[in-house]
Every structure is written in C-alpha cells, then in structure tokens.
Amino acid sequence: MKQFYLYIFILISGFCNAQESDTISRSNLQTSISLQLGKFLDTNDYLKKLKQKEFIGASAELKVQTDGSKEWHRRFGRPYYGGGIVAFDFLKNSEMGKPFAIYGTFGGVIKETPTHSWNYETSGGFAFNWTPYDLEKGYKNQTFGSSVSVYINLGANYTYYLGKHFDLELGLNFNHFSNGALKLPNKGMNTLSTKLSLTYHFDERKFAPKDSLTSFDKYSTLDVNAFGAVRHSIFYGVDSGFKESDVDMIQKFKGRYYQNWGIETIYHRQISYKSSLGLGVGLMYDADYNHKFYQDETGAIQVTKRFKNDQLLLNIIPSYRLTISKFAILVQPGFYLFKKSIDKRYDKTIFYQRLGFQYTIGKNLLIGIGLRSYLFHKADYIEWRVGYRIFNKKNS
C-alpha cells in the first residue's frame, strides 16, 4: 500500500508541475461548496437487503477558470480544472464507514447565456475510510474489501448567475466507487444524487470571446508504455468431493496477491481536434493466469501452478484517445491471443476492456493510471503506467 500512495503522490506532483509550464491564466480562481442528497443503487445482494439507502455528501473545491485564450479552451466549453474533497454520510448504514474522497475535477459549458448556463462536470480521485469486509470482525458487507477505493463522478448542472461573483448550481450526479480488485471482495457501489452548489469567483466573472474555432494540424503519435499491477485473487466455488460448507471463508478471502506487468506500443492517428484512433500490441506477464487454487484432502485451500512453464500473454489493442491539452482519456478494448483455457472458474474471456488516464510531462514523458476489466463490469486490476512518446509528427 505504501507504493500505492507513492505513485499517487508522483502522479499528482507531475500533473501540478506540468500545469505550471502551461500558460493558462490563473487570474480567475473560484471556489465552491456543495451538498449532495441521494441514494445508492442495488448493485449486490447485501445492498439489496438494506431498507434505507439514502446518503448525504458535502464537498469543497478550488478551481481555475480558463479564459478562452487557447484553442482547447474553446473546444471544451471554456472549462475549469482544480481539486476538491468530499465527505459522505450513509445515515442509517453507518457500518459502511465514514468515507471521504480527494479528487481532481474538470468541467465546462454546454450552452451559455448572459444570465445562466448548462454545464458538464467530471471528477476522479480516491476515497478513504470505508469499513472493509472482515469476517473475523463480523463485518459481512462485500461491497468493499479494502478501506480505499477509486472515486469517479459524472454530472450535469444548471447554473444561474447571481451576480458578478456568485453562481447557484443545481445538478444531477452519478458516483462510482470501486477498489479495482486491489482487495476482494469488490462488489463496488454506484449512487445517484442531486447536488446544490454555491460558487464564488475571486475576480468578476468574465465571458469567453465568441471567436470561431481555428483550423489545426493533425498529428500521429507512437508511444511505448510499461505498466505494473497487483491483483488480489481468491478461491472460487468448491472442488469435487466437497460441499460449500467445507470452504473456510476466512481463509478464502485472505487469498493471494499476484503481480502483473507488461510493455506495449500504440500508434494513434488524429481524426479530429479532440479524437485519435489507434492500434497497438502488447506483451505481459499475468501471475494470476499462471496459478490456480484447489482444495487438498482436508478441504484446505492451496495454490498450484497451472502450467509447467510460465506463460506470457500477447494482446492486440484497438484504442480511442480523447485529448484535452496535455491530458488524455483512453478507451481500449483488447484481445488476448493464444490464451489457454483450463478451468472455467479462473479463466477470464480473451476480450478485456481498459479505461485509462494519461498525462504528458514535457514533450515525451507519459504517466498514467488504467483500470483493466472484463465482461464490461468486473474489475481485473489497476495499472500504474509510465511511458515515452517516440514521435509526434504532422499528418500529411
């Protein structure tokens, strides 16, 4: 877990240092306080049994409003960026813990008039202080296996301009919490909520110039990335000759931790100012794939190698990249080639999905984080990524 916090510190530091080199005006600082009222959704058996599903949340943010001087400002609705902290109270379900999240935020205007606007907002970070699943302590909520989770927020709001300095916002938000299989069980949680916010602009509000979008040059890039990950794996089902009652649940959820690492290269070709399409190839080692669990003659859970020699996985990676200045969002459905199937309980499909976030430091250094999943909703592991851009050339 120390490596986890160290990487987050490096990622945030790199982001802040890179932003300092950008020429975005800092004159339009703004701060917001918000209140959320909502419910969590019935995404697992434990949550379905709870009668009260309400929660409240309170947040505070410090943001920078871009001034419209750059092309990407105008392309993304003169966005703001910044950071915040939010605390949640699950009211009648105090056994969830008292979680709080630290996050980065980004949002912009969809449509604006002199008195109001419609806006989008996104946030992402890490939530802490959940009460994790622990049978030895009598806590049976399988929503979270660890006290730390990823926090993702998507929302839209209507903003009314109260004056030159104050905004009142009413919005609808979707929150997702998951630890990315860092510790099982990891059923995760989704919530829907209304959000009321009050924003204060330190300077008087400035409206972006209504300049038309300019033409731009299209570029192609070739990146090489290395990644590392740790996955928690557990015993599934029951072996022949045993009953479900023979499985020691405490031993089961102790499980094993396996390392995953790999290297890949991806070529992207820009198709519009914001979007690029690409294709890549990767080679990785998945220790989880090379091992499996079984019950010995006493019913105890043991681990054995699946193959005589460790197997590497070759994968093909189609890619979509959304670029926002030096920040990029990556959506990558991938396919494992030549993957062997031995035990259906432990064999995931050859088709996986990755959602990644990447930041460019300087001209060529890449840092990022990615969530690899399968079946579109089951987290496999969180990747910690570092890379190098070999070239960035103009398309002919």
Side-chain angles (χ1 to χ4, degrees), residues 253-325:
F253 280 104
K254 284 183 178 178
R256 299 288 190 278
Y257 288 91
Y258 290 115
Q259 295 182 1
N260 299 329
W261 49 263
I263 188 169
E264 57 195 31
T265 181
I266 299 181
Y267 172 83
H268 282 99
R269 185 178 179 88
Q270 195 175 359
I271 59 173
S272 71
Y273 180 84
K274 300 177 182 178
S275 299
S276 301
L277 294 179
L279 184 66
V281 61
L283 186 67
M284 65 169 292
Y285 172 74
D286 185 340
D288 185 30
Y289 171 62
N290 284 284
H291 294 80
K292 71 172 185 176
F293 295 91
Y294 72 97
Q295 289 176 277
D296 64 18
E297 63 276 5
T298 68
I301 299 171
Q302 306 291 347
V303 178
T304 185
K305 298 264 299 186
R306 301 181 72 190
F307 312 107
K308 183 177 180 180
N309 299 309
D310 285 342
Q311 303 289 312
L312 297 178
L313 290 171
L314 179 67
N315 51 95
I316 299 296
I317 313 159
S319 179
Y320 168 76
R321 182 178 66 197
L322 175 68
T323 302
I324 309 170
S325 187

Side-chain angles (χ1 to χ4, degrees), residues 168-222:
L168 186 64
E169 304 165 9
L170 180 63
L172 181 66
N173 286 72
F174 170 80
N175 296 325
H176 173 71
F177 303 92
S178 168
N179 71 21
L182 285 173
K183 181 72 170 68
L184 297 178
N186 178 44
K187 302 292 186 180
M189 176 183 285
N190 297 321
T191 73
L192 284 175
S193 65
T194 56
K195 183 178 178 181
L196 182 66
S197 305
L198 182 66
T199 297
Y200 174 75
H201 299 261
F202 287 84
D203 289 341
E204 291 185 5
R205 180 185 299 100
K206 298 178 179 67
F207 291 92
K210 299 295 183 180
D211 297 337
S212 60
L213 299 177
T214 60
S215 60
F216 63 95
D217 295 323
K218 292 184 179 181
Y219 285 84
S220 294
T221 60
L222 181 65

Side-chain angles (χ1 to χ4, degrees), residues 13-121:
S13 298
F15 175 84
C16 294
N17 290 336
Q19 284 290 357
E20 287 299 324
S21 65
D22 206 341
T23 57
I24 299 171
S25 172
R26 263 70 171 172
S27 63
N28 199 4
L29 276 175
Q30 58 189 47
T31 185
S32 299
I33 55 173
S34 304
L35 179 67
Q36 293 185 45
L37 300 172
K39 292 185 176 183
F40 54 82
L41 307 181
D42 293 336
T43 51
N44 63 63
D45 291 339
Y46 181 88
L47 297 180
K48 290 178 183 178
K49 295 177 182 177
L50 300 177
K51 294 182 179 180
Q52 303 294 328
K53 306 179 189 298
E54 291 76 18
F55 75 93
I56 59 174
S59 61
E61 297 177 351
L62 182 64
K63 301 171 286 190
V64 176
Q65 174 69 63
T66 57
D67 58 11
S69 62
K70 289 181 171 291
E71 182 74 12
W72 73 270
H73 298 179
R74 299 188 289 275
R75 298 273 179 174
F76 288 92
R78 197 170 56 94
Y80 62 78
Y81 64 87
I85 183 169
V86 58
F88 297 96
D89 188 334
F90 286 90
L91 303 174
K92 298 292 185 179
N93 301 296
S94 59
E95 69 274 12
M96 298 281 186
K98 297 290 184 182
F100 66 93
I102 299 173
Y103 59 88
T105 185
F106 181 90
V109 173
I110 300 173
K111 186 175 182 180
E112 185 177 36
T113 75
T115 59
H116 64 270
S117 62
W118 294 93
N119 313 280
Y120 68 90
E121 62 179 31

